Amino acid sequence: MDEEDIIVEEDEALKQFLPRGFGKQTKEVDLAKQFERSKRQVADRTSAIDNDEHDNSNSSNDDDDNDNGDDDDDEDGDEFPVSHELVLKTHERTVTTLTVDPSGSRLITGSSDCRVKFHDFASMTPTTLRAFKSVDPTATKASANSETHPVNHVEFNPLSPSQVLVVSATPQAKILSRDGEVLTEFVKGDMYLRDMHNTKGHISEITTGTWHPVDKNLCVTAGTDSTLRIWDANSQRTQKDVIVHKSRAAGSAGRTRMTAVAWGSPVQGGSSLLVASALDGSLVMWGGDGPYTRPMAEIRDAHKKDTWTGGIAISTDGRTVVSRGGDDLIKLWDTRKFKQPISVVEHPSTSDQHANSNIRFSPDSSSIITGSATGHLHILNPATLKPELVTPVTPGSPLVTVLWHEKLNQIITGSANAETHVLYHPTMSSRGAAMVMSKAPKRRHIDDDPTLTTDLSQGLSGESIVTPNGVLTNNSQASASYASRHPTLGMTASGRSRDPRRPHIPMTTPFAKSQPDEMHIRNNIPLSSMRDEDPREALLKYAEKAEKDPMFTNAWKHTQPKTIYAELSDEEEEGPEKKKVKRP
């Protein structure tokens, strides 16, 4: 057979793996194909209610007019960045809160799985959608079993992006760096003091918090102890001011739970506003710069009593406030006439199961965005609260938290199914998810078996990567305590605890599970054989020896060889003494 007759079949996988040339290779990216992969397949545009009514009123027009109207609706739907999406699956439970730094380069999410995940858009590719760091903000001592608590709120400092306010379900809020290091932990108050003005901090769970819109050093936290506390980020031991909300609800004893807080300042200048809601249904407004002794305005029945108002937002001009209550209502308020709502619309609430359900204004306050129990994103008109766009994000799973970033022009949502969706438009949005999808995906090795390697497209976090010869952990173990997830922390190389108060637990061995052999016990443990003897027989074997050589009665051996016992008279009765009956 000649060499010319030999035919070698081309292997496409091998051909793609081998280099095509020498020197630095440039990765060619088909942007149109990349964006097409992230395009939403669902019908993500829904006509607004007012547009439907307008179309029904003009139904007598000819077909050409109807076709033109449909084109106009499509153009209206394109004004919102919801045509494409990027899905991050880095949490195990409900995503309760999220925040993006002002530059739009870093995304931080918090969840009810007690973890805070840090994502960097610049380091992600379409096939590596994962968090670069995971932090438990309530972890304390590594050698002891520390409790973990859900994360209620995270927020970047809008004026100093190096600081992140983290509020967990504890009385102490923390300020972390953008890399997850603890910078400040505020002090806890004395729970035995009745007057909340005299405590140094919160005495019960903190529900939410926010930063001052003008002063980069100030932040406010709202707690279930019926107080708002203003803190200085540079002073963790003392609070700057305390606002005690006295509830007027019957049977509340003057206390209630603060559910939401917003701190806003007009863009064109002016005094800032501090607005908070409580569990008794009230909505209270103070001047953002103080004094806080008395509120500027208060609405007692803004929402139904004993329902959780989870969302409050202030417009950029400082003239309107929107609130989303647990009574299935969204209300729009005018800060200049803070008595009656301007607009009211029904909207199913999810705060009974997810207390962090929020509502937000768009960056220019031209729209209002919020989620729903059905997993739809609602974009509302800020004047009438009528929906301008309703699009499904996670159908069947409640949409808990939403955020519209100004610089990225992207809408980020967190759902109850532990998914974080970044909605964007290839041309209207900049950086963020658009930058991630414009990168070339990382090429896998030809010998990789997809069934045995980690699926990076699912967005696994770094701690979930399987190591060779490691122990696989299931979801129940991953959601356990901090010490159970890190069994070797706080221990020496020999396995002993660094904490002197903790006793040493012998290592479990394959031989009888840390039980040594019987010979070792008899030789090294004194009196160990007594465990297997009958105590009555062990005493009776010394009876003859005790009779011949008594130890305690040896002094009377010759003077009183026969033991004399006291004799009972006939009058004395054996048994317990009877109580004497008192005569009247």
Side-chain angles (χ1 to χ4, degrees), residues 32 142 151 308:
V151 181
W308 195 274

PDB file of all heavy atoms in Angstrom, residues 32 142 151 308:
ATOM      1  N   ALA A  32     -22.645  38.695  17.510  1.00  0.00           N
ATOM      2  CA  ALA A  32     -24.056  38.451  17.208  1.00  0.00           C
ATOM      3  C   ALA A  32     -24.495  37.083  17.731  1.00  0.00           C
ATOM      4  O   ALA A  32     -25.583  36.933  18.299  1.00  0.00           O
ATOM      5  CB  ALA A  32     -24.289  38.552  15.700  1.00  0.00           C
ATOM      6  N   ALA A 142     -13.838  30.575  64.976  1.00  0.00           N
ATOM      7  CA  ALA A 142     -13.791  29.419  64.091  1.00  0.00           C
ATOM      8  C   ALA A 142     -13.791  28.105  64.853  1.00  0.00           C
ATOM      9  O   ALA A 142     -14.213  27.081  64.334  1.00  0.00           O
ATOM     10  CB  ALA A 142     -12.547  29.491  63.203  1.00  0.00           C
ATOM     11  N   VAL A 151     -29.185  37.052  55.437  1.00  0.00           N
ATOM     12  CA  VAL A 151     -28.739  38.406  55.089  1.00  0.00           C
ATOM     13  C   VAL A 151     -29.965  39.199  54.646  1.00  0.00           C
ATOM     14  O   VAL A 151     -30.645  38.829  53.684  1.00  0.00           O
ATOM     15  CB  VAL A 151     -27.675  38.365  53.979  1.00  0.00           C
ATOM     16  CG1 VAL A 151     -27.209  39.774  53.650  1.00  0.00           C
ATOM     17  CG2 VAL A 151     -26.500  37.498  54.403  1.00  0.00           C
ATOM     18  N   TRP A 308     -46.450  43.567  56.523  1.00  0.00           N
ATOM     19  CA  TRP A 308     -45.049  43.973  56.372  1.00  0.00           C
ATOM     20  C   TRP A 308     -44.879  44.824  55.121  1.00  0.00           C
ATOM     21  O   TRP A 308     -45.004  44.344  54.006  1.00  0.00           O
ATOM     22  CB  TRP A 308     -44.162  42.737  56.295  1.00  0.00           C
ATOM     23  CG  TRP A 308     -42.711  43.047  56.505  1.00  0.00           C
ATOM     24  CD1 TRP A 308     -41.815  43.436  55.557  1.00  0.00           C
ATOM     25  CD2 TRP A 308     -41.998  42.989  57.736  1.00  0.00           C
ATOM     26  NE1 TRP A 308     -40.591  43.630  56.113  1.00  0.00           N
ATOM     27  CE2 TRP A 308     -40.664  43.365  57.454  1.00  0.00           C
ATOM     28  CE3 TRP A 308     -42.343  42.667  59.047  1.00  0.00           C
ATOM     29  CZ2 TRP A 308     -39.678  43.408  58.451  1.00  0.00           C
ATOM     30  CZ3 TRP A 308     -41.362  42.713  60.027  1.00  0.00           C
ATOM     31  CH2 TRP A 308     -40.056  43.084  59.723  1.00  0.00           C
TER      32      TRP A 308
END
